[in-house]
Amino acid sequence: MKIALAQINTTVGDLDGNTKKIINQIEQAKKQDANLVVFPELAITGYPPKDLLFKKAFVLENQKRLLEIQNATSDIGVIVGFVNSYFRERASDKIYDMAAVSHFSDMILTNAACLIDNQKILGIYEKIWLPTYDVFDEKRYFEPGKEAKVFGFCNKKIGINICEDLWVSNGPIIQQVKNGADLIIVISASPFFVGKWRIRKELVKKQAVANRVPIIYTNLVCGQDDLIFDGGSFAIDAQGNLIALAKHFAEDLLTIDIDSPMPVKDTEETEEFEVFNALVLGLRDYVNKNGFSKVVLGLSGGIDSALVCALAVEALGKERILAVIMPSPYTSEASIQDAKTLAQNLEIELLNIPITEIYNSYLKTLADPFKGKKLDVTEENIQARIRGNILMALSNKFGYLVLSTGNKSEMAVGYTTLYGDMAGGLAVISDVPKTMVYRLAHYFNQKAGKELIPKNIFIKPPSAELKPNQKDSDDLPPYETLDEILNLYIEENKDREEICKLGYPKDLVVDVIRRVDRNEYKRKQAPLGLKITPKAFGFGRRMPITNKFQ
Amino acid sequence: MKIALAQINTTVGDLDGNTKKIINQIEQAKKQDANLVVFPELAITGYPPKDLLFKKAFVLENQKRLLEIQNATSDIGVIVGFVNSYFRERASDKIYDMAAVSHFSDMILTNAACLIDNQKILGIYEKIWLPTYDVFDEKRYFEPGKEAKVFGFCNKKIGINICEDLWVSNGPIIQQVKNGADLIIVISASPFFVGKWRIRKELVKKQAVANRVPIIYTNLVCGQDDLIFDGGSFAIDAQGNLIALAKHFAEDLLTIDIDSPMPVKDTEETEEFEVFNALVLGLRDYVNKNGFSKVVLGLSGGIDSALVCALAVEALGKERILAVIMPSPYTSEASIQDAKTLAQNLEIELLNIPITEIYNSYLKTLADPFKGKKLDVTEENIQARIRGNILMALSNKFGYLVLSTGNKSEMAVGYTTLYGDMAGGLAVISDVPKTMVYRLAHYFNQKAGKELIPKNIFIKPPSAELKPNQKDSDDLPPYETLDEILNLYIEENKDREEICKLGYPKDLVVDVIRRVDRNEYKRKQAPLGLKITPKAFGFGRRMPITNKFQ
């Protein structure tokens, strides 16, 4: 039996576009003589559809698209993810009910997979394990499925799993194999973080060997707001060998003969490769799916904006980038020169818009209310906000998307200006720690075989250049140490005592944690940031702002 | 038996402060000869603790506080909400596990109530129905309780319910009454929206009558970020009569003799009373709990900023308000005069900081990049952003909290400037539709018995005054119509066809819905806004930004 893994790039809410793509892939799979073509989780709606699921019209439209797909499935089998629903008596378990307060209680939804063969629906499997952690909210929308069904198809007995189902040790696979399943097919939408693809494969190998059954794993590939789905669909035989591997970070239609599988070599790529390509995909999809012709960003002469610029060129091409250098009285000549060299190397358009005159007009206007007060961070923030305003003005005038360039280390400790350098529609590297920023910039130069990002940008000490002789190291611990502590606190969720026990000075740990905690209010208003670590700020980390716990 | 309803104002994460308050109230209740004192849901941690629940130290500290409370409970009974937990073998249902990705799988949490009598724990009830809709995420954190227990206390058999438990028709009350419960005690943290207190009482009456059992309902009272808990704890006898009613929007310790109850009169208050007082509580608690000495806001001479100013005076007192008028070339003399009169009437400090010079410096600086382009919304946004920057500069220099003044109607259709009038730490009326803004302003004047908000502010046509002769009605439908359509779309979750069928012109409905949908990106970066309707923008409404569904 030949199975095609249809690793497609869906868009949330684009029922027409997703359906068209699915039907097109079914035709392609037929040409490759596939018996069965498998699509990702919720392929019809895109993932995650979030509160669109509270719109009945959306749910019912998604089912109309399933019928279209059914009709297009002649002489081939298809497994496709969709939202199943059934009506029930209103208010069956709610005394008080209001559409907006709870979800509509007269309609139950499940996260489902439909197995279609030659225009007939052979079976529906409904996801049993609904994740409700990190960025996932599936219990907000779905009822869990109840049956670990097995479906006969092409002389095989197939057990379908949907994503999380396979990540638990007591999932449906056990019952399915007991009931005779000789092939497990997983449809998933598994968001990227660095190292995730290896974790996914280890997991599936473990399950295949433990249950003595081959497993086919189809993943989504796309950027959707903060989330990146990295593709890399694959198959593992019952002995734990990798027998198929689709592309990472790109669409693919990979056909495998499950009856005569051949081991394939796993990719060996660096973390830098992974993260760089993930960011490129996330950036490209956000810009294109939201209909922007170009992006605009500020170049400071520093490493963060240089990396974002490089990512944008990679994602969109040099013609779609407008870079702006906005020198203030505290901007060094070296920074201006570094930014210019970078723009030349990348062959992108560069505007030079000095902010000194605007800055002076603020100082003059505020002289009276600020009388008797010393210069402080206020004046630094004014500079950052003028730059934010200029980028937004260019965005308003020309319709370009503003990319913000802050990294995760800064965002964590609040070393960043709300409405200033935080302004923008997409925070490209807000989940990338500073130390990883350098690694990605090196990777970019290495890939190009030349120093597109000028050497000087790597070696000069990081500075916000918002007052004379300012350096990040005046206010922050060295980034190597800071990033280690941040990783322990945010991603590994360790507390103060646990981190101190690892050998970090208590004062430093206390200070870093205090900074992270008290900057929730800033991050509340941050733009969407692309998630590349197990725990990003944003939707997957829901901290109260009013919070006295220390 | 005398029961004291301890309606306290807790703060999330303030384990010490909350515990101190609980112990103090126990002492007070003793003085009132109460046999039992009842606290709200999760009283020890504050509600909602959100991802603080993923910190083991937080969970264990909350239990240490329970022990303190236990020790303080001599010669009286107490029911107090806390987080219960038990350890289990790590990875029992997860194959792959990482602290940050899922919640710690070696510790299970429940949302629990502890019944203590004279320093002994008599029983623990664990919430069975965990809400996961709107602003609620309880399945993200808690396992559901399994037992509808009944506890003997003081010759009564008591069934405890926690909030949502009572809102479902097949909740624990049925089993508890079957098992002999002759009193139901509900501990809750039920967030406010307009009309909620009536809904709550109707619900409890229904349950009391249907199950022939008296019900005591203790609610939280506080502002916590976007949520307002309005208090109004109460009791209903088995015949459905109201037999106790605590204060709304303030702490209270109300003792009731459950064996000889007397019917009490229900409050009859207007919607304006409810919403006004809710906003005052939410604003006051946000400012005070986050440690701000003062607030600063811009006065435009319009109704929105006038109302926010009035609310701030009511919440904080006139000494804690700094108002700023920031005229541009398009600000009318009338607006300046209206703002001045308002500030005089409210006896608050008013700064006048004209923005024309700064505005001109932007125009000059941007003349070159904008060459050949017409004036458009860009220049309007620049004015709004200069104002945002000035308020933020005052905030940075003096440590005041910036209040933003946009209403829900504007936020819905994006008639608002990101980083401009949207700038601030708290969006006081961002869930208040424009038509309700006028009603609240009238209510404020009525309450004062004089026109503190000048009449002219009510009667002039709303305008952003960002270009000559601009009026809101140039760009938007009349607010009466707009608010009706917005209510149907957002709060009643109706779709385009359903709204059109109610008699609104299709073009208008399509336009309004399109505006709401395409402005998700702005609202993503909005400050926290106080929730006063069943469906506020923000945490309880989770829409994708990249979204092609129409």
Side-chain angles (χ1 to χ4, degrees):
Chain A
M1 178 166 109
K2 284 178 84 174
I3 301 177
L5 284 64
Q7 176 177 296
I8 58 172
N9 184 326
T10 60
T11 300
V12 164
D14 190 9
L15 302 175
D16 286 337
N18 297 339
T19 301
K20 213 165 155 185
K21 192 170 264 188
I22 289 166
I23 291 174
N24 174 282
Q25 292 288 294
I26 292 172
E27 291 309 310
Q28 296 300 316
K30 267 197 220 175
K31 286 184 193 149
Q32 295 183 17
D33 291 324
N35 306 95
L36 179 65
V37 51
V38 184
F39 292 92
E41 182 176 10
L42 293 185
I44 295 178
T45 62
Y47 191 92
K50 297 194 169 180
D51 282 9
L52 288 175
L53 291 169
F54 292 158
K55 296 177 186 283
K56 284 184 194 174
F58 179 75
V59 172
L60 296 175
E61 283 292 327
N62 120 92
Q63 288 165 16
K64 272 165 72 178
R65 298 313 186 288
L66 181 69
L67 296 184
E68 278 179 46
I69 294 164
Q70 183 185 350
N71 290 331
T73 306
S74 50
D75 305 318
I76 190 167
V78 166
I79 293 175
V80 65
F82 77 110
V83 181
N84 204 2
S85 70
Y86 57 96
F87 286 92
R88 60 174 175 185
E89 218 176 328
R90 177 169 276 277
S92 70
D93 73 353
K94 282 294 232 183
I95 289 196
Y96 165 71
D97 193 41
M98 181 182 274
V101 180
S102 72
H103 46 82
F104 35 87
S105 67
D106 53 357
M107 204 176 188
I108 290 201
L109 307 184
T110 59
N111 181 340
C114 187
L115 170 61
I116 305 167
D117 185 29
N118 199 17
Q119 303 192 338
K120 280 188 218 87
I121 292 181
L122 283 192
I124 306 253
Y125 171 79
E126 296 175 306
K127 188 173 187 176
I128 294 172
W129 291 85
L130 301 171
T132 309
Y133 52 79
D134 195 48
V135 297
F136 299 108
D137 271 335
E138 292 199 15
K139 286 180 189 160
R140 181 176 171 89
Y141 309 106
F142 299 118
E143 291 287 315
K146 290 184 178 72
E147 274 184 86
K149 297 178 185 174
V150 173
F151 306 108
F153 179 87
C154 248
N155 300 321
K156 293 269 176 204
K157 289 185 116 181
I158 298 176
I160 300 174
N161 280 223
I162 302 182
C163 211
E164 189 77 3
D165 285 332
L166 199 78
W167 291 73
V168 297
S169 59
N170 46 347
I173 188 171
I174 296 171
Q175 192 59 42
Q176 286 167 333
V177 169
K178 211 175 272 175
N179 292 350
D182 48 17
L183 176 64
I184 299 295
I185 293 180
V186 185
I187 69 170
S188 87
S190 174
F192 174 81
F193 58 76
V194 57
K196 184 83 170 276
W197 66 23
R198 277 180 292 276
I199 292 168
R200 243 181 246 133
K201 273 178 224 149
E202 278 165 34
L203 165 86
V204 173
K205 277 182 196 177
K206 231 182 219 178
Q207 291 278 32
V209 171
N211 295 285
R212 297 182 195 176
V213 64
I215 301 179
I216 284 175
Y217 189 103
T218 307
N219 196 17
L220 181 63
V221 67
C222 72
Q224 169 62 32
D225 288 349
D226 50 331
L227 300 182
I228 298 154
F229 299 89
D230 52 310
S233 302
F234 61 96
I236 301 279
D237 69 17
Q239 289 74 46
N241 302 302
L242 186 69
I243 53 170
L245 180 57
K247 288 177 194 158
H248 285 281
F249 308 112
E251 292 195 303
D252 204 354
L253 181 69
L254 178 65
T255 303
I256 171 176
D257 188 337
I258 195 71
D259 300 312
S260 53
M262 301 277 289
V264 299
K265 228 179 110 57
D266 201 354
T267 40
E268 283 176 15
E269 298 286 3
T270 59
E271 284 190 353
E272 290 82 353
F273 170 90
E274 270 186 70
V275 177
F276 189 89
N277 285 286
L279 293 172
V280 165
L281 174 61
L283 171 54
R284 181 191 295 134
D285 272 11
Y286 188 82
V287 172
N288 290 341
K289 290 179 178 182
N290 286 290
F292 290 98
S293 60
K294 284 196 182 186
V295 296
V296 55
L297 80 165
L299 288 191
S300 68
I303 190 75
D304 299 314
S305 55
L307 175 63
V308 173
C309 200
L311 288 163
V313 170
E314 188 86 11
L316 307 168
K318 61 190 179 188
E319 296 79 12
R320 295 177 70 188
I321 320 295
L322 173 60
V324 192
I325 175 154
M326 294 170 280
S328 86
Y330 308 116
T331 307
S332 65
E333 264 313 307
S335 289
I336 298 177
Q337 194 47 56
D338 289 340
K340 284 185 180 168
T341 308
L342 175 72
Q344 276 161 12
N345 291 354
L346 297 177
E347 300 173 37
I348 56 170
E349 189 184 352
L350 178 70
L351 290 182
N352 187 333
I353 305 182
I355 66 164
T356 304
E357 195 169 332
I358 301 176
Y359 179 57
N360 288 335
S361 70
Y362 273 99
L363 295 185
K364 198 173 149 200
T365 297
L366 289 167
D368 196 39
F370 286 0
K371 196 151 43 186
K373 291 275 174 183
K374 286 189 195 144
L375 291 184
D376 58 15
V377 73
T378 308
E379 285 74 17
E380 301 181 34
N381 284 337
I382 289 173
Q383 295 166 63
R385 291 194 179 112
I386 293 168
R387 293 193 177 112
N389 289 4
I390 288 175
L391 293 176
M392 290 304 293
L394 292 165
S395 170
N396 290 157
K397 194 61 94 184
F398 300 106
Y400 305 162
L401 176 76
V402 177
L403 301 180
S404 73
T405 61
N407 62 60
K408 187 175 194 174
S409 316
E410 295 172 344
M411 286 290 289
V413 295
Y415 198 68
T416 173
T417 302
L418 195 54
Y419 321 135
D421 52 313
M422 284 176 70
L426 185 71
V428 181
I429 58 169
S430 72
D431 196 34
V432 182
K434 186 79 171 186
T435 45
M436 175 61 93
V437 169
Y438 282 103
R439 288 166 59 193
L440 295 178
H442 274 299
Y443 170 81
F444 176 74
N445 278 357
Q446 224 160 23
K447 201 165 72 84
K450 50 187 167 180
E451 285 184 344
L452 291 178
I453 298 176
K455 194 174 172 186
N456 197 43
I457 292 182
F458 288 92
I459 57 179
K460 65 183 171 189
S463 165
E465 294 196 333
L466 294 169
K467 62 182 181 182
N469 304 315
Q470 189 176 36
K471 288 198 185 59
D472 291 11
S473 55
D474 302 340
D475 299 298
L476 299 177
Y479 279 114
E480 291 72 19
T481 314
L482 179 62
D483 283 355
E484 284 169 15
I485 296 174
L486 291 173
N487 176 62
L488 290 165
Y489 185 56
I490 296 161
E491 285 154 48
E492 304 207 4
N493 196 25
K494 295 199 185 305
D495 65 25
R496 189 177 60 201
E497 284 174 39
E498 290 170 311
I499 298 171
C500 288
K501 270 187 196 147
L502 293 169
Y504 299 92
K506 188 175 170 188
D507 287 354
L508 179 62
V509 174
V510 168
D511 179 55
V512 170
I513 289 180
R514 195 181 48 87
R515 290 192 198 214
V516 173
D517 290 352
R518 77 173 182 189
N519 281 292
E520 285 307 330
Y521 79 98
K522 278 193 195 176
R523 292 189 294 264
K524 163 70 182 73
Q525 298 186 43
L528 279 179
L530 300 175
K531 175 180 161 77
I532 61 111
T533 71
K535 185 56 79 177
F537 295 119
F539 194 66
R541 189 171 182 276
R542 304 178 186 174
M543 298 300 290
I545 292 178
T546 304
N547 167 23
K548 300 210 174 170
F549 183 68
Q550 291 181 324
Chain B
M1 178 167 113
K2 285 180 83 173
I3 301 177
L5 286 63
Q7 176 177 297
I8 58 173
N9 185 325
T10 60
T11 299
V12 165
D14 191 11
L15 302 174
D16 286 337
N18 298 338
T19 302
K20 214 166 157 183
K21 192 168 265 188
I22 289 166
I23 291 173
N24 174 282
Q25 291 290 293
I26 293 172
E27 291 309 309
Q28 296 300 318
K30 268 197 221 175
K31 287 183 193 151
Q32 296 182 16
D33 291 324
N35 305 97
L36 179 66
V37 51
V38 184
F39 292 92
E41 181 177 11
L42 294 186
I44 295 178
T45 61
Y47 190 92
K50 296 195 169 180
D51 282 9
L52 288 175
L53 291 169
F54 292 157
K55 296 177 185 285
K56 284 183 192 173
F58 179 75
V59 172
L60 296 175
E61 283 293 326
N62 119 92
Q63 289 165 16
K64 271 164 74 176
R65 299 312 186 287
L66 182 69
L67 296 183
E68 278 179 46
I69 293 164
Q70 183 185 350
N71 290 332
T73 306
S74 51
D75 305 318
I76 190 166
V78 166
I79 294 175
V80 65
F82 78 110
V83 181
N84 203 1
S85 69
Y86 57 96
F87 286 92
R88 61 173 174 185
E89 218 177 327
R90 178 168 275 278
S92 71
D93 73 354
K94 283 294 235 185
I95 289 196
Y96 165 71
D97 193 41
M98 181 182 274
V101 179
S102 72
H103 46 83
F104 35 86
S105 67
D106 53 358
M107 203 176 190
I108 289 199
L109 307 184
T110 59
N111 181 340
C114 187
L115 170 61
I116 306 167
D117 186 28
N118 200 16
Q119 303 193 337
K120 280 188 217 87
I121 291 181
L122 283 193
I124 306 249
Y125 171 80
E126 297 175 305
K127 188 174 188 176
I128 295 173
W129 291 84
L130 301 172
T132 307
Y133 53 78
D134 195 49
V135 298
F136 298 108
D137 271 335
E138 293 199 15
K139 286 180 188 160
R140 181 176 172 90
Y141 309 107
F142 300 119
E143 291 287 314
K146 290 184 180 71
E147 274 186 85
K149 297 179 183 174
V150 173
F151 307 108
F153 179 87
C154 248
N155 299 322
K156 293 271 176 202
K157 289 185 115 180
I158 297 175
I160 300 174
N161 280 220
I162 303 182
C163 211
E164 189 78 3
D165 284 332
L166 199 78
W167 290 73
V168 297
S169 58
N170 47 348
I173 189 171
I174 296 172
Q175 192 60 43
Q176 286 166 334
V177 169
K178 212 176 272 175
N179 292 349
D182 48 18
L183 177 62
I184 299 295
I185 294 179
V186 186
I187 69 169
S188 86
S190 174
F192 173 81
F193 58 76
V194 56
K196 184 82 169 276
W197 65 24
R198 278 181 289 276
I199 292 167
R200 243 180 248 135
K201 274 178 224 149
E202 279 165 32
L203 165 86
V204 174
K205 278 183 195 176
K206 231 182 221 179
Q207 291 278 31
V209 171
N211 295 286
R212 296 181 196 176
V213 65
I215 302 179
I216 284 175
Y217 189 104
T218 308
N219 196 16
L220 180 63
V221 68
C222 72
Q224 170 62 33
D225 289 348
D226 50 331
L227 300 182
I228 299 154
F229 299 90
D230 52 310
S233 302
F234 61 97
I236 302 280
D237 70 16
Q239 289 73 46
N241 301 302
L242 186 69
I243 53 171
L245 180 57
K247 288 178 194 157
H248 285 281
F249 308 111
E251 291 195 305
D252 203 355
L253 181 69
L254 179 67
T255 303
I256 171 176
D257 188 337
I258 195 70
D259 300 313
S260 54
M262 300 278 289
V264 299
K265 229 178 108 62
D266 201 353
T267 40
E268 284 175 15
E269 298 286 2
T270 60
E271 284 190 352
E272 290 82 352
F273 170 91
E274 270 187 69
V275 177
F276 190 89
N277 285 286
L279 293 173
V280 165
L281 175 60
L283 171 53
R284 182 191 295 134
D285 272 10
Y286 188 82
V287 172
N288 290 341
K289 291 180 178 182
N290 286 290
F292 291 98
S293 60
K294 284 196 182 187
V295 296
V296 55
L297 80 165
L299 288 190
S300 68
I303 191 75
D304 298 314
S305 55
L307 175 63
V308 173
C309 200
L311 288 163
V313 170
E314 187 85 13
L316 307 169
K318 60 190 180 187
E319 296 79 12
R320 295 176 71 188
I321 320 295
L322 173 61
V324 192
I325 175 154
M326 295 170 280
S328 85
Y330 308 115
T331 306
S332 65
E333 264 313 307
S335 289
I336 298 176
Q337 195 46 57
D338 290 339
K340 284 184 179 168
T341 309
L342 175 72
Q344 277 160 13
N345 292 354
L346 297 177
E347 299 171 38
I348 56 170
E349 187 184 353
L350 178 69
L351 290 182
N352 187 333
I353 306 182
I355 66 164
T356 303
E357 196 170 332
I358 300 175
Y359 179 56
N360 287 334
S361 70
Y362 273 100
L363 294 185
K364 199 173 148 200
T365 297
L366 288 167
D368 196 38
F370 286 0
K371 196 152 43 187
K373 290 274 173 184
K374 285 188 195 146
L375 291 185
D376 58 15
V377 73
T378 308
E379 286 74 17
E380 301 180 35
N381 284 337
I382 288 173
Q383 295 166 62
R385 292 194 178 111
I386 293 168
R387 294 193 176 112
N389 288 3
I390 288 175
L391 294 175
M392 290 304 294
L394 292 165
S395 170
N396 290 158
K397 192 63 92 183
F398 300 106
Y400 304 162
L401 176 75
V402 176
L403 301 181
S404 74
T405 61
N407 61 60
K408 187 176 195 174
S409 316
E410 294 172 345
M411 286 290 289
V413 296
Y415 198 68
T416 173
T417 302
L418 194 55
Y419 321 136
D421 52 313
M422 284 176 69
L426 186 70
V428 181
I429 57 168
S430 72
D431 197 34
V432 182
K434 185 81 171 186
T435 46
M436 174 61 94
V437 168
Y438 281 103
R439 289 166 59 193
L440 295 178
H442 274 299
Y443 170 82
F444 176 73
N445 279 357
Q446 225 160 22
K447 200 165 73 82
K450 49 187 167 181
E451 285 184 343
L452 291 178
I453 298 175
K455 195 174 173 188
N456 197 43
I457 291 181
F458 288 91
I459 56 179
K460 64 184 172 188
S463 165
E465 294 195 331
L466 295 170
K467 61 182 182 182
N469 303 315
Q470 187 177 36
K471 289 197 185 58
D472 291 11
S473 55
D474 303 339
D475 298 298
L476 299 176
Y479 279 115
E480 291 72 19
T481 313
L482 178 63
D483 283 356
E484 285 170 15
I485 296 174
L486 290 174
N487 176 62
L488 291 165
Y489 185 57
I490 296 162
E491 285 153 47
E492 304 207 4
N493 197 26
K494 294 199 186 306
D495 64 27
R496 188 178 60 201
E497 283 175 39
E498 290 170 313
I499 298 172
C500 288
K501 269 186 197 147
L502 293 169
Y504 299 93
K506 187 175 170 188
D507 287 356
L508 178 62
V509 174
V510 168
D511 179 55
V512 170
I513 289 180
R514 195 181 46 88
R515 289 193 200 214
V516 173
D517 290 352
R518 77 174 182 189
N519 281 293
E520 286 306 331
Y521 78 98
K522 278 193 195 176
R523 293 188 293 264
K524 163 71 182 73
Q525 298 186 44
L528 279 179
L530 300 175
K531 175 180 161 77
I532 61 111
T533 72
K535 184 57 81 177
F537 296 119
F539 195 65
R541 189 171 182 275
R542 304 177 186 174
M543 297 300 290
I545 293 179
T546 304
N547 166 24
K548 300 211 173 170
F549 183 68
Q550 291 181 323

